Amino acid sequence: MKNKEQLRLLVDAVTSSEDYEGNYGCRATGTDATLSSVDESHRQQVPGDYLEFIAEFGFGELDAAFHLDDGPERYSTICGREVEGYEGIYVFGGNSGDVLYAFDAENNWQVVEVSSESDGVDVLASSFSDFILEQLKYIKSLVERRAAG
């Protein structure tokens, strides 16, 4: 996983904040449970940096602006039905609004955003490592603004 020390500092900065109210930090203990909702044909391709992150740094609600699930879930399972064009979408997190963060298994496991306000998915990053670094920087800035405010 890229930027491990920087990720650790960002997670620590958020979770040690005076205003922190999340439940972040439960760690994934085994890939079988983590990948239980991933189709058998896709399990070997789930990004290693994602699996390493939730094993080392954990999952849960880091902030109202971001939560990380304990494993990817098919988008169709969350919706309760198959959605054309979303067959390879595996949701791994989101925010307290209507935004979901997911992997697109059909497109090199890029990180995408799924929102009820758009008609498709928006590519956010080519890797989980790049995505999580930017997400944690953003959350830290929100925490700092709240503390100053």
Side-chain angles (χ1 to χ4, degrees), residues 62-119:
L62 191 56
D63 186 85
F66 184 70
H67 72 270
L68 191 61
D69 299 329
D70 60 349
E73 183 80 39
R74 289 187 71 222
Y75 183 72
S76 61
T77 302
I78 293 169
C79 288
R81 62 183 174 81
E82 288 295 328
V83 179
E84 188 176 334
Y86 288 67
E87 295 84 3
I89 302 295
Y90 288 95
V91 175
F92 63 79
N95 68 20
S96 59
D98 69 344
V99 173
L100 299 174
Y101 301 114
F103 293 116
D104 185 349
E106 305 297 320
N107 289 296
N108 255 357
W109 291 85
Q110 319 179 87
V111 176
V112 298
E113 178 181 285
V114 180
S115 171
S116 62
E117 295 181 8
S118 69
D119 291 336

Side-chain angles (χ1 to χ4, degrees), residues 25-65:
C26 297
R27 291 185 170 84
T29 56
T31 55
D32 287 343
T34 299
L35 301 179
S36 64
S37 297
V38 176
D39 292 345
E40 193 71 40
S41 63
H42 287 137
R43 287 188 185 176
Q44 295 300 317
Q45 291 84 35
V46 173
D49 55 350
Y50 165 74
L51 296 172
E52 186 178 347
F53 185 89
I54 63 172
E56 185 161 333
F57 295 103
F59 58 89
E61 183 180 33
L62 191 56
D63 186 85

